[in-house]
Structures are given as structure tokens and as C-alpha cells.
């Protein structure tokens, strides 16, 4: 067993206002099985127990659907093992999901996940390079989770976000968008939501949503972010 039983996961998600289907659960099982198998030979996740995987990887990746659902062409920056992007795709198959990571081995693995679950574009590129190339301002939604400190994430992700789109950051309560509002504004963003929530295991989390209101100046992202 790689996840808690289907009825338990469904009940847990329902407590947060999220409905999952039998078909969806089966895809999560297939996906997480692949992650844990690959984890034996490549460092993908330290979270391996069924309850912890269900809470910290599945449920937490779904929280944006409660407060600010991703839409349109969606990028997951610094995706790692595919969280939250692959989970978002499984929950909402109509999303056009692109998984972005700087490590070729992870992207090769995610290509296998895409073939085994639902089709996703998997791109091997550094986030700062992506924001200066053909992917610049191409996404309706950009998401990231615990990849870097919020100011760095904003500089990676807002250049990828279309005007009228949004950047969703899944963070801990220690990170406050209010502390980097000047940078966010400079990057063309505006904070629209900071929502604190608690996962079933008691872990405190914060969802930050930044609307893209104007185009990002061409000097961002910088090649070296302090």
C-alpha cells in the first residue's frame, strides 16, 4: 500500500472541500508507486509512509483547488517528483500541465509518469533560464512548493506568468508575502490571497496567490538571485 485506503483519502479530502473519484485515486496510486520505486535509486522524496504521502503530497497539492484553482496552461516550477503539478493534472485532467526542473534525471522520470498516467509536458531547464526564453509569460497559472524562499520563487515564477494569470506558492507560515511586496510589485505582481491552513497531521501551511497585473521588466529574472 502506497496511500491510505481510498475511502479514507476521499473522506480526508472532503473535509477540505475536495472531491476525488475512484479513477483519480487509482491514478494517484500508480503515480506514487512509481515515485517510491524510483526513490530506491534516486532521491525524490523523504516522505514514504502511506499516511504522510497522502497528507503531505496528495492533499497539500490539492489545496489550491479550494481557494484559488489553477486554470489554463499551468507550470510547476522546481517540480522535483511532480508535486504539486502531477497531482493537479490527475485531479483536473483538463489542465495543460508543464513540469519544469533543472535535473535531467527527474525530468526523465516524470516523462515516464506522464506516459503512465496523464499527458504532461516535462521540460529540463533552470527556472531562471526558463523565464528569459520562449516560456516567458506563457502560463496562466504557475505553481511552486517549497523550492526556495518566497522572494526567489517570485523572481523565478512571475516572469513565466501571463498578465492576467497567477502564481500560486505553497509555503510555511514563516513566509509572508507582505515582506516582499515591493519586489512582487516590481515583478508585475499583486498579492491577492494569503491563506493559512492546517493539514490533518497538524502541520501548519500557507497558500499565497499573486496575481500578474503587468508585464515583468526584461531584467528579471536575474541570472544570479541573491
Amino acid at each position: 500500500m502506497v496511500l491510505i485506503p481510498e475511502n479514507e483519502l476521499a473522506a480526508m479530502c472532503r473535509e477540505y472541500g475536495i472531491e476525488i473519484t475512484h479513477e483519480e485515486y487509482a491514478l494517484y496510486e500508480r503515480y506514487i508507486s512509481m515515485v517510491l520505486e524510483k526513490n530506491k535509486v534516486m532521491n525524490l522524496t523523504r516522505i514514504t509512509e502511506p499516511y504522510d504521502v497522502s497528507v503531505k503530497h496528495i492533499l497539500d497539492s490539492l489545496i489550491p483547488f479550494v481557494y484559488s484553482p489553477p486554470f489554463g496552461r499551468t507550470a510547476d516550477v522546481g517540480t522535483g517528483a511532480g508535486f504539486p503539478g502531477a497531482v493537479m493534472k490527475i485531479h483536473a485532467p483538463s489542465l495543460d500541465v508543464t513540469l519544469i526542473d533543472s535535473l535531467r534525471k527527474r525530468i526523465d522520470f516524470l516523462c515516464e509518469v506522464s506516459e503512465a498516467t496523464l499527458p504532461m509536458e516535462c521540460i529540463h531547464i533552470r527556472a531562471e533560464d526558463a523565464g528569459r526564453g520562449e516560456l516567458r509569460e506563457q502560463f496562466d497559472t504557475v505553481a511552486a512548493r517549497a523550492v526556495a524562499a518566497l522572494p526567489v520563487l517570485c523572481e523565478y515564477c512571475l516572469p513565466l506568468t501571463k498578465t492576467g494569470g497567477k502564481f500560486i506558492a505553497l509555503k510555511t507560515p514563516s513566509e509572508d508575502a507582505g515582506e516582499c511586496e515591493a519586489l512582487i510589485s516590481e515583478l508585475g505582481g499583486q498579492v491577492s490571497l494569503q491563506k493559512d491552513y492546517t493539514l490533518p497531521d497538524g502541520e501548519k501551511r500557507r497558500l499565497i496567490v499573486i496575481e500578474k497585473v503587468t508585464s515583468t521588466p526584461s531584467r528579471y529574472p536575474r541570472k544570479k538571485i541573491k
Side-chain angles (χ1 to χ4, degrees):
M1 181 181 292
V2 296
L3 295 172
I4 59 175
E6 180 180 349
N7 63 324
E8 294 180 19
L9 182 59
M12 180 189 294
C13 289
R14 196 171 297 118
E15 287 292 318
Y16 289 79
I18 302 162
E19 295 290 338
I20 66 170
T21 66
H22 173 70
E23 293 76 16
E24 186 177 343
Y25 180 84
L27 285 175
Y28 291 142
E29 268 200 317
R30 186 181 308 169
Y31 166 42
I32 297 300
S33 294
M34 293 178 71
V35 170
L36 296 181
E37 185 63 29
K38 182 63 72 172
N39 203 50
K40 296 175 182 177
V41 296
M42 186 171 74
N43 183 26
L44 288 174
T45 180
R46 291 176 289 120
I47 298 167
T48 58
E49 293 300 314
Y51 178 79
D52 293 335
V53 171
S54 300
V55 171
K56 298 180 187 296
H57 284 334
I58 302 300
L59 175 60
D60 194 38
S61 293
L62 293 174
I63 290 295
F65 287 96
V66 180
Y67 301 108
S68 185
F71 70 98
R73 191 178 183 197
T74 299
D76 176 7
V77 175
T79 184
F83 307 114
V87 176
M88 289 177 168
K89 176 66 176 182
I90 291 171
H91 183 66
S94 63
L95 284 179
D96 179 4
V97 171
T98 298
L99 305 176
I100 296 173
D101 201 89
S102 61
L103 188 66
R104 167 60 71 181
K105 288 183 179 179
R106 283 197 288 256
I107 288 298
D108 289 344
F109 165 68
L110 292 169
C111 287
E112 296 174 13
V113 170
S114 174
E115 292 177 2
T117 57
L118 294 173
M120 294 170 279
E121 186 175 15
C122 306
I123 299 178
H124 171 231
I125 192 170
R126 288 162 54 91
E128 55 267 47
D129 295 330
R132 302 183 70 86
E134 294 180 359
L135 296 176
R136 185 179 180 87
E137 299 192 331
Q138 293 300 302
F139 296 96
D140 301 292
T141 306
V142 177
R145 194 178 77 149
V147 179
L150 184 62
V152 176
L153 273 186
C154 288
E155 192 164 337
Y156 285 159
C157 295
L158 284 170
L160 293 167
T161 310
K162 291 179 182 177
T163 300
K166 62 186 173 183
F167 164 45
I168 298 173
L170 291 154
K171 306 297 289 178
T172 64
S174 64
E175 299 211 52
D176 185 350
E179 295 177 0
C180 56
E181 270 193 297
L183 173 64
I184 290 169
S185 179
E186 173 70 13
L187 293 165
Q190 183 177 40
V191 179
S192 64
L193 176 69
Q194 282 204 123
K195 177 65 179 180
D196 289 346
Y197 59 97
T198 304
L199 292 172
D201 63 355
E203 183 176 343
K204 304 293 184 181
R205 302 285 290 156
R206 174 170 288 169
L207 178 72
I208 299 170
V209 181
I210 299 169
E211 304 287 343
K212 182 71 173 284
V213 293
T214 61
S215 186
T216 302
S218 60
R219 63 182 175 276
Y220 295 110
R222 293 167 290 179
K223 290 186 177 181
K224 291 186 179 180
I225 304 174
K226 294 180 181 180

